[in-house]
Amino acid sequence: MTRSDIFRRPSRRMAVLSLASLATGAALAISSIVAGPALATTGGAATTTTVSKATTTTTVAKGSVVKGLAKALATVTDATVFPASPPAQICGNTSILNGPATAPAGAIVVAAGDDSAQNWSIPGATFYFLAGTHTLGQGIYSQIITTNNTTYEGAPGAIINGQGINDFAFTQVSTGVTIENLTIENFIAPLNQGVVNHDSGANWLITDNTITANDGAGVMVGSGDEVTYNCLSDNGQYGFNAYSPAGDTNIVIDHNEISGNNTGNWESVNPGCGCTGGGKIWATIGAQITNNYVHNNYGPGLWADTNNAGILINGNYIANNDDEAIIYEISYNGAITDNNIMGNEIVQGEAFAATGNNFPAAAIYISESGGDARVDGGLYATFNITGNNIANNWGGVTLWEDANRFCGNTPGAGPCTLVNPAANLTTCVSGTINNAPYLSDCRWKTQNISVTNNIFAFNAAAVGCTTTAGSCGVNAIISNYGTTPTWSPYLGNTVINTIATTQNNHFADNTYTGAWQFSAGAGTVVTFSDWQGSPYNQDAGSTMNGVSYPAPPPGNLLDADTSTLEGSIGHWVPWFSDTIAQSTAQAQSGTHSLQVNVTAGNGWGVQLNLWPGFTAAPGPQTISFWGLAGIGTVGADLQAQWRGSTGTVLGTNDVSIATLTSTWQEASSNVTAPAGTAYVTVTFTGPPTDSGAAGDTLYLDQVFAGATTSTGTNLLDSNSATLEGSIGTWVPWYSASVAQTTAQAESGNHSLQLNVTAGNGWGVETSSWPGEAATPGPMSIAFWGLAGSGSLGTTMQVQWRDGSGNVMGTNSATLASLSTAWQEGSANAVAPSGTAYFTVTFTGTGAAGGSLYLDQIFVGANTAGANDLDAGTSSLEGSIGHWVPWYSATVAQTSSQAQSGSDSLQVNLTAPYGWGIELNNAPGFAATPGTHTISFWGLGGPGSLGVNMAVQWRNSSGTVICTSSATLAALTGTWQQAVTTATAPAGTAWVTVTFTGSSYTTGTLYLDQIFVAA
């Protein structure tokens, strides 16, 4: 999928609504899809894979739906199962739809015929409609004006007919109204308005009705309404539409048959309107959409659009809708559980394919939506999609986040997010959106979504998909390249780089049958093995066509099969003079290895068939493999090629076993991926010492390329680091208890067990004061984490303190989502000038009762050298050092701001469109080849944007042979640190430094603690 392809996904939604017109805003769509005819029921149960789940359903008594159900199910479990057959076959079912044959006691009996003279304004009355057709008059606004606590009930065969003349049947904001056992048809409500409960009155019970063949929505839903056991069919726009000007709360949509709606084909009439489907809810807090039969609608089945939260979609049978079964858009906190979802999205998927649009059209489409504990009391703060049967739809589940969609960049006035009232149309704008908290809180984020324990079945022939790879049968976690507006802080790959890796979106423990594909990041179609591997780490514990695939080794950039050979041969292919095979003849670990058969002398080679390689990043790395001789005398050399974003090789590293033996041997080397690394490829060749001869064989296993684990002296005491002797200095901080435990250990026999005692966040800390001793300079911080119970992540923060215990700076390492396999979180850091002590905290979110384990906690120097820059140039304390203006700037040593000490470098921007400063000490400071840490601290003043520190590595003649950089993309009013690891190439003798940036105005910024260390 290309970048342009992925941005063509229609973003179908309305702008802020008014009750009178419910006017639609312009959609963020690039293409529009014309809804086609209803799909015949061919993709349902008959084509579904046989499953072992029970097929019983729960019957709920009419009118007795428990409104507290959503709260009761706040902790989602798989206690129920998806319905094997429709739970609500209501249309034409007279045993449900027929009312009493005689009028209830005290009821006002309404005869069939013209009822325009009837007085409806009798609060608390019951009106009983006799059998036959009832009309309300000849005016467009002839209608029943309801009053509070009034009941409108029909005898068997009672019909209220709008004659194609009347807009509405039941109106006003009355409360406590009941409408039951009626057929309501042929009303002509305008677009985005409704026939029954036109004004979204509260606490209505609408039950046992047939509401059909109307324009607009059959039913409007207000706060506290129950819509149950109705046939909502063949209406012009929606079966139901939940909207109130102040937003709905606590609605119930249960045991309805919702079919054939959107007969007006509104996406064709008003392209991109986002105004079609079986049913839609807007700005609703707390909804239960349960046990419905939603089928053959000319558009989506169910759609939650714009700032909904706490929405339970459970136990529904959703089949053969033209578009998605479920859309959840710019909203929060949902649970989509135990639904049977079959044969959906095929009409729209085929239309996409016909126009070359290979966006992964899905049965469940999550668009700019996810979990956030700050919304609706944290109900469904982990957005669960679990226990569903998703069979023979065009696609599976797509998690999408449009980089260009945020408060301040939506149609019309546009809505804003629910997470923070301060993030609004006056703050989510140029000049403020780059700063915390707006940078985060102005976006609707696709985050904290758990897609687990679902059955995904796909048969391309049954679906009718004959298009290119990546179009159908896809699960996806994707975003697009940010392009607009020019001041957006989300331009480029900002969201692409986070949605599939750091926003806590996880597929796990699912069952797949059929030829499923997977799409991640910018829409790259990857294999199941790649999907499970780094950096995506998806579908741990899942099975594909009955095969359970092992998780990749922690930290490995290679996928599990390429590394371990257990599931398949991975991406290995012959290069020259050999054949290869996945083999069970030998294995260093597990049951398989890679067998290499040498077919000619003078060398051999194998390589990967993956281009441009596995995703990687600059910095310290480890490369390693295990090797074993089969026949003959032969060695093996692993070479890692570090590649830039275009696939160009930036550097290589090798590790060899000169001569293999009949005993497994490991070769391992710590190396550095150079600045600019985006991918890594790996080759094996025969080394010159023992390149092998025709007929030789060898075996390779446990191939690894990944981040180097922490080394060096740990500044933490042994017990606080390893937990082996005692609990060390760890104590609870808030909402947690801690214990030394033998239940789990990453190394040794003990770890730190943490039990969460309350929701809304927790923390533990070291109790020593002012902390452990430390000195300024490059550092490594790391820990290992394991999930116990619940869905938890954690952040380790190190606070660098001066001699008085004052915090001078912080650094963090994070594991966003712990799993049942030990994972390492690590980061490079720099303790600022003046550091004398440090303290450590761990924090996270999770519900009471959750638990996790921590082990091998590390804070220590990651290099042995000192700063290559002199003290004045680095800290600005003694002088301005060697800093001079380069262009469009002046510089000064200043005491008005300082990250550490009392002085910093003030940079005044004198012209827009770019500036620079440099050193005046050519050829620079003395330096040597090898791994370095480069870092600086920056603070924004008026008019400044971002800043880039470029380090020029120079040879003995002063010629630049390589550059490295560290960047702060957006300075704020708070000091921030940029830190990265770089490699000074062979031949380096000197180093120089420049700072550059761009600004649309003149302004000021400050720099401090500038560091280049070997």
Side-chain angles (χ1 to χ4, degrees):
M1 184 179 305
T2 66
R3 181 179 300 159
S4 60
D5 285 330
I6 197 167
F7 190 59
R8 293 167 59 191
R9 176 61 173 95
S11 181
R12 302 169 304 171
R13 58 168 298 278
M14 292 183 186
V16 175
L17 307 176
S18 66
L19 185 60
S21 65
L22 295 178
T24 63
L28 301 176
I30 302 301
S31 61
S32 62
I33 303 302
V34 178
L39 181 69
T41 308
T42 59
T47 58
T48 305
T49 324
T50 302
V51 297
S52 59
K53 285 192 171 184
T55 58
T56 56
T57 58
T58 302
T59 300
V60 180
K62 292 190 294 181
S64 65
V65 177
V66 180
K67 292 188 178 181
L69 178 60
K71 299 293 181 183
L73 293 179
T75 301
V76 176
T77 66
D78 199 18
T80 58
V81 295
F82 63 82
S85 59
Q89 299 184 58
I90 306 299
C91 296
N93 188 342
T94 56
S95 65
I96 291 175
L97 295 171
N98 279 358
T102 58
I108 298 169
V109 176
V110 182
D114 182 358
D115 295 334
S116 60
Q118 176 68 48
N119 176 17
W120 306 109
S121 300
I122 307 174
T126 295
F127 293 91
Y128 178 73
F129 293 77
L130 294 176
T133 298
H134 298 250
T135 59
L136 304 179
Q138 297 303 305
I140 188 173
Y141 296 119
S142 298
Q143 60 195 266
I144 296 175
I145 298 177
T146 63
T147 55
N148 293 344
N149 303 312
T150 305
T151 296
Y152 304 88
E153 185 171 16
I159 300 169
I160 301 178
N161 191 307
Q163 313 164 81
I165 297 172
N166 313 132
D167 277 3
F168 318 119
F170 294 91
T171 67
Q172 309 306 307
V173 291
S174 309
T175 62
V177 172
T178 297
I179 298 174
E180 56 186 339
N181 304 120
L182 290 164
T183 294
I184 302 164
E185 62 187 17
N186 294 329
F187 288 83
I188 55 169
L191 180 67
N192 297 324
Q193 301 186 46
V195 171
V196 175
N197 196 10
H198 168 266
D199 301 292
S200 301
N203 298 311
W204 286 38
L205 174 62
I206 302 170
T207 187
D208 306 347
N209 302 285
T210 297
I211 302 173
T212 185
N214 303 287
D215 289 347
V219 177
M220 297 295 291
V221 185
S223 291
D225 287 1
E226 295 183 16
V227 180
T228 65
Y229 291 89
N230 300 284
C231 170
L232 307 177
S233 68
D234 303 311
N235 294 290
Q237 189 178 1
Y238 303 114
F240 70 89
N241 186 14
Y243 170 77
S244 296
D248 280 348
T249 59
N250 300 322
I251 67 171
V252 171
I253 311 291
D254 181 78
H255 276 91
N256 302 281
E257 184 170 355
I258 304 166
S259 67
N261 296 289
N262 187 34
T263 58
N265 200 6
W266 280 104
E267 286 287 346
S268 176
V269 176
N270 188 3
C273 70
C275 58
T276 62
K280 193 164 189 180
I281 63 174
W282 303 84
T284 296
I285 306 299
Q288 301 159 47
I289 304 175
T290 54
N291 306 308
N292 300 286
Y293 180 24
V294 185
H295 65 98
N296 294 96
N297 292 285
Y298 300 93
L302 301 171
W303 193 342
D305 192 354
T306 309
N307 285 343
N308 301 279
I311 309 302
L312 174 67
I313 302 175
N314 174 267
N316 301 284
Y317 193 104
I318 310 175
N320 302 317
N321 297 285
D322 282 4
D323 296 355
E324 297 89 342
I326 299 169
I327 304 177
Y328 209 97
E329 186 173 6
I330 60 170
S331 294
Y332 300 89
N333 299 21
I336 300 174
T337 59
D338 299 317
N339 302 284
N340 201 347
I341 300 172
M342 299 185 296
N344 300 280
E345 184 66 352
I346 294 174
V347 172
Q348 179 165 253
E350 289 177 339
F352 275 25
T355 59
N357 184 352
N358 59 345
F359 185 94
I364 299 176
Y365 174 44
I366 309 298
S367 177
E368 298 87 37
S369 299
D372 196 305
R374 295 173 290 177
V375 179
D376 192 29
L379 178 67
Y380 309 138
T382 296
F383 190 127
N384 285 289
I385 302 174
T386 189
N388 302 287
N389 182 52
I390 302 171
N392 285 339
N393 305 276
W394 188 264
V397 174
T398 289
L399 309 183
W400 158 258
E401 184 175 334
D402 185 345
N404 298 318
R405 196 174 195 186
F406 53 91
C407 171
N409 194 39
T410 51
C416 285
T417 62
L418 297 181
V419 294
N420 182 355
N424 53 51
L425 292 173
T426 62
T427 56
C428 296
V429 295
S430 177
T432 56
I433 194 171
N434 293 77
N435 303 326
Y438 313 115
L439 182 65
S440 176
D441 291 350
C442 289
R443 287 198 67 80
W444 294 272
K445 292 185 178 180
T446 301
Q447 64 178 7
N448 301 322
I449 300 176
S450 178
V451 185
T452 60
N453 294 293
N454 301 286
I455 298 169
F456 289 99
F458 179 72
N459 182 317
V463 171
C465 177
T466 58
T467 59
T468 58
S471 174
C472 57
V474 178
N475 277 347
I477 309 177
I478 53 175
S479 182
N480 58 326
Y481 191 85
T483 58
T484 186
T486 56
W487 49 262
S488 168
Y490 317 113
L491 298 178
N493 290 324
T494 303
V495 182
I496 288 172
N497 290 339
T498 60
I499 185 171
T501 55
T502 64
Q503 291 186 193
N504 196 29
N505 297 315
H506 292 284
F507 288 67
D509 300 313
N510 297 297
T511 300
Y512 291 93
T513 60
W516 283 93
Q517 303 174 84
F518 302 89
S519 181
T524 303
V525 177
V526 298
T527 67
F528 187 56
S529 184
D530 293 333
W531 174 253
Q532 287 191 307
S534 178
Y536 310 121
N537 300 312
Q538 296 298 327
D539 266 315
S542 297
T543 62
M544 176 65 74
N545 296 316
V547 177
S548 178
Y549 288 78
N556 201 345
L557 300 174
L558 311 186
D559 69 88
D561 288 347
T562 303
S563 171
T564 69
L565 285 300
E566 293 302 310
S568 73
I569 202 168
H571 288 283
W572 296 113
V573 293
W575 184 10
F576 60 92
S577 301
D578 54 47
T579 63
I580 61 173
Q582 178 195 24
S583 175
T584 57
Q586 299 287 348
Q588 191 278 328
S589 180
T591 58
H592 293 77
S593 66
L594 181 67
Q595 180 176 333
V596 181
N597 305 301
V598 182
T599 58
N602 302 315
W604 56 270
V606 299
Q607 61 184 354
L608 302 177
N609 66 355
L610 180 70
W611 178 259
F614 292 102
T615 303
Q621 307 283 340
T622 296
I623 58 175
S624 65
F625 71 97
W626 289 79
L628 178 79
I631 301 171
T633 303
V634 65
D637 177 271
L638 179 156
Q639 183 180 88
Q641 299 92 26
W642 308 107
R643 299 178 181 271
S645 58
T646 62
T648 303
V649 175
L650 305 177
T652 62
N653 294 108
D654 291 77
V655 62
S656 295
I657 300 175
T659 303
L660 298 172
T661 69
S662 58
T663 301
W664 282 102
Q665 303 173 71
E666 183 182 27
S668 179
S669 178
N670 290 328
V671 300
T672 299
T677 293
Y679 301 99
V680 61
T681 53
V682 178
T683 58
F684 280 100
T685 56
T689 51
D690 275 313
S691 60
D696 289 350
T697 62
L698 63 139
Y699 300 90
L700 305 170
D701 204 355
Q702 303 303 309
V703 186
F704 184 93
T708 303
T709 56
S710 304
T711 58
T713 301
N714 200 342
L715 299 178
L716 287 174
D717 66 270
S718 175
N719 291 330
S720 297
T722 69
L723 283 301
E724 291 304 312
S726 71
I727 201 171
T729 60
W730 295 109
V731 294
W733 181 14
Y734 60 96
S735 302
S737 64
V738 294
Q740 178 196 27
T741 182
T742 58
Q744 298 286 350
E746 192 281 326
S747 181
N749 301 309
H750 295 78
S751 66
L752 181 68
Q753 180 175 340
L754 186 148
N755 302 302
V756 181
T757 59
N760 303 316
W762 56 267
V764 300
E765 59 185 357
T766 50
S767 59
S768 59
W769 180 258
E772 305 290 339
T775 57
M779 296 285 178
S780 179
I781 62 176
F783 68 100
W784 289 78
L786 178 78
S789 59
S791 179
L792 299 173
T794 186
T795 295
M796 172 187 176
Q797 184 184 83
V798 177
Q799 301 88 30
W800 308 109
R801 300 178 181 271
D802 64 16
S804 301
N806 299 311
V807 174
M808 308 179 66
T810 62
N811 292 109
S812 300
T814 298
L815 289 175
S817 180
L818 298 175
S819 70
T820 55
W822 283 100
Q823 304 172 70
E824 185 182 28
S826 64
N828 291 322
V830 174
S833 176
T835 294
Y837 300 98
F838 74 95
T839 52
V840 181
T841 59
F842 282 92
T843 57
T845 59
S851 65
L852 62 125
Y853 302 89
L854 304 171
D855 205 357
Q856 304 304 308
I857 303 160
F858 185 91
V859 180
N862 64 2
T863 65
N867 199 346
D868 289 341
L869 311 185
D870 65 53
T873 303
S874 172
S875 69
L876 284 299
E877 293 302 316
S879 70
I880 200 171
H882 289 281
W883 294 112
V884 294
W886 182 11
Y887 61 95
S888 302
T890 64
V891 294
Q893 178 194 19
T894 181
S895 59
S896 63
Q897 298 285 350
Q899 192 280 325
S900 181
S902 58
D903 295 87
S904 66
L905 181 66
Q906 180 175 330
V907 182
N908 303 303
L909 314 183
T910 59
Y913 311 121
W915 58 270
I917 63 173
E918 60 185 358
L919 302 177
N920 65 357
N921 65 331
F925 292 100
T928 57
T931 302
H932 289 66
T933 296
I934 61 177
S935 70
F936 70 96
W937 290 78
L939 178 75
S944 59
L945 287 178
V947 61
N948 180 74
M949 173 184 175
V951 175
Q952 299 88 28
W953 308 108
R954 299 177 181 269
N955 63 17
S956 58
S957 300
T959 302
V960 175
I961 53 178
C962 186
T963 60
S964 305
S965 62
T967 301
L968 289 174
L971 297 177
T972 70
T974 302
W975 283 101
Q976 302 173 73
Q977 185 185 35
V979 58
T980 190
T981 301
T983 299
T988 294
W990 308 97
V991 62
T992 54
V993 179
T994 59
F995 284 94
T996 57
S998 61
S999 175
Y1000 294 111
T1001 64
T1002 57
T1004 303
L1005 59 97
Y1006 302 89
L1007 304 171
D1008 206 356
Q1009 302 304 309
I1010 303 159
F1011 206 94
V1012 179

